[in-house]
Amino acid sequence: MSHWVVIYAIGAAQALLLAPALWRRPANAAANRVLAAWLALVGLDLAVKAAFLATPAPALFRVLLLVGTFPFLYGTFFYLYVRTLTTARRLVWRDLLHLLGFAVALALFAPGLLADAALNAELMRQWLSRALPPPVPWYSLFLYAWSLSYVVAALLRVVRYRREVRERRSDADRMSLRWVVVMALGQVLIWAIALLHDTTRIPGIDYLLVYGAVAVWACVLGYLGLMQAPVSPEREGEAAATDVDAIAAVDDPGAGASAAVAAVSSPEAATDSADDPRLPEVQARLQRLMDEEALYLAPALTIAQVARRSGYPEYLVSMAINRGFGCTFWDYINRQRIGAACRCLADPDDGRTILDIAYACGFTSKSTFNAAFKRETAATPSAWRARRAQAQAC
């Protein structure tokens, strides 16, 4: 058992050291404070278990029972972290309702927590011999259902955020929240080990292994939290001029006045009808902006910026892309970039590498470029370039 004490102690130390670092991290500050509190709870849980396994004592056993209810908080804190990260919605008093599962667990464990010395010693003896029953028969089922429902709810928020960000940003791949998915998968793995422990008698699959996995996951959790990229949780409103204005040198007369209209327009003004008579002209205007001003070259292009350049309200630009071109803003801009990349790759005088061309066309990562290129052409960039070179040589 001594090696588990070391593993738990290392996990606790990592968690308790990473929590203050996350609390002070400026990027995604509100969400990181939720994450820091969550990590501190995990660290405290592991520290108590390490201390008790090292030197079992009745006083420590009461604390062990208390932290044994913390798993009811882990799924909750994960959900609140994801919600804060993707919506910038801060915690309010009604969020205490999310602690209901933890409150129920505390109530169920109250007899053990308040037991007299003799009963406490007996409970500790049962725990050490792996014979301590749960407070109620349905306790484990309640714990799994409560915690995993919050993990699922958090993942649904990630899916919704990804869909929304693709509607408004051309660099949506940089905001895919992959680290959140990894956090969720880590929790699912831990709960799977716990379920195996509860339902089977496989050698080595036990309570100690469950929290060994928690110790490893705590280190990964802190690392992912420190490495996370800044997230844009809200729809962009009015913004200052950006690199799009540098790309666009000349525009149609009167576009400045139209841009002012676009800036104050909002999605609430949108109509549900697909027969808006302006849709064809909006689509034509967008295509001119792409063909003549190459707005897609801006790596962090947003639909708000395109709307300002077009002179149309943002909701109408979004409708024109979704219904007219049949895709999201992210897909539409990537199509323009792939078209530009194909022209460069087909030019025998263009000696740039494929990666240089990808960056020059507005892509920000090799993986995104390769995936988008294959989706549009059914070929890899190198194969497409070789095929075109062979066709031109014939």
Side-chain angles (χ1 to χ4, degrees):
M1 191 178 290
S2 60
H3 66 284
W4 290 118
V5 174
V6 174
I7 292 172
Y8 292 176
I10 292 173
Q14 289 281 350
L16 294 173
L17 287 172
L18 287 168
L22 282 169
W23 188 275
R24 295 191 300 267
R25 195 169 187 268
N28 311 325
N32 275 333
R33 291 185 175 181
V34 178
L35 183 59
W38 179 24
L39 199 56
L41 287 174
V42 175
L44 178 60
D45 191 355
L46 291 170
V48 170
K49 286 178 170 59
F52 180 79
L53 291 177
T55 54
L60 266 179
F61 181 68
R62 292 185 191 276
V63 184
L64 183 72
L65 288 180
L66 175 62
V67 300
T69 62
F70 281 11
F72 278 95
L73 296 172
Y74 296 157
T76 299
F77 269 78
F78 177 57
Y79 170 78
L80 293 175
Y81 164 69
V82 174
R83 192 192 72 183
T84 308
L85 185 69
T86 57
T87 66
R89 177 179 161 189
R90 295 184 177 273
L91 300 180
V92 294
W93 284 109
R94 66 173 175 270
D95 287 322
L96 290 174
L97 290 173
H98 294 295
L99 303 182
L100 183 60
F102 174 64
V104 171
L106 278 179
L108 293 175
F109 270 94
L113 292 170
L114 302 175
D116 58 29
L119 179 57
N120 183 59
E122 173 59 20
L123 293 174
M124 185 177 77
R125 185 194 64 77
Q126 292 180 20
W127 190 94
L128 289 171
S129 61
R130 306 290 185 269
L132 181 66
V136 288
W138 44 267
Y139 181 81
S140 293
L141 180 61
F142 177 45
L143 173 58
Y144 294 138
W146 180 272
S147 300
L148 289 175
S149 65
Y150 273 96
V151 174
V152 171
L155 287 175
L156 290 176
R157 280 198 171 272
V158 170
V159 171
R160 187 165 57 192
Y161 175 79
R162 284 178 170 178
R163 184 167 59 242
E164 196 272 338
V165 81
R166 286 189 175 205
E167 294 288 353
R168 60 188 175 93
R169 296 192 67 94
S170 68
D171 59 346
D173 53 297
R174 295 196 296 185
M175 298 184 182
S176 61
L177 305 184
R178 291 185 183 92
W179 72 86
V180 174
V181 177
V182 173
M183 289 179 183
L185 291 177
Q187 291 179 85
V188 171
L189 177 61
I190 292 169
W191 287 115
I193 296 172
L195 183 61
L196 283 174
H197 164 55
D198 281 345
T199 58
T200 66
R201 290 297 177 264
I202 301 175
I205 305 295
D206 57 14
Y207 177 89
L208 298 175
L209 178 64
V210 172
Y211 276 91
V214 171
V216 174
W217 175 73
C219 298
V220 175
L221 181 67
Y223 173 79
L224 292 173
L226 291 175
M227 295 297 106
Q228 63 185 287
V231 172
S232 172
E234 298 176 332
R235 290 187 61 83
E236 296 178 9
E238 297 183 31
T242 62
D243 51 352
V244 178
D245 298 304
I247 292 174
V250 179
D251 198 4
D252 292 343
S258 299
V261 174
V264 298
S265 299
S266 64
E268 286 73 14
T271 175
D272 290 333
S273 172
D275 300 324
D276 192 302
R278 295 172 294 174
L279 286 181
E281 63 186 65
V282 175
Q283 293 171 41
R285 173 63 175 154
L286 291 176
Q287 203 54 54
R288 282 200 306 274
L289 287 173
M290 298 302 153
D291 293 341
E292 299 171 8
E293 301 183 17
L295 295 188
Y296 54 81
L297 296 180
L301 184 68
T302 68
I303 196 169
Q305 295 165 354
V306 173
R308 283 196 298 275
R309 293 300 305 158
S310 71
Y312 290 99
E314 183 180 330
Y315 81 87
L316 196 57
V317 172
S318 178
M319 189 187 300
I321 293 173
N322 295 159
R323 297 177 179 173
F325 297 118
C327 60
T328 65
F329 177 74
W330 182 74
D331 291 319
Y332 174 68
I333 297 301
N334 278 348
R335 285 179 188 174
Q336 308 303 314
R337 291 169 175 170
I338 293 300
C342 286
R343 291 190 290 273
C344 295
L345 293 172
D347 184 356
D349 297 327
D350 195 329
R352 290 177 295 175
T353 66
I354 291 175
L355 190 57
D356 286 340
I357 290 174
Y359 287 144
C361 292
F363 285 97
T364 56
S365 76
K366 181 181 178 180
S367 59
T368 301
F369 169 67
N370 287 338
F373 195 96
K374 192 163 187 177
R375 187 166 55 248
E376 293 296 324
T377 67
T380 63
S382 55
W384 193 92
R385 187 180 217 179
R387 190 163 62 239
R388 288 305 297 260
Q390 184 178 11
Q392 290 170 352
C394 295

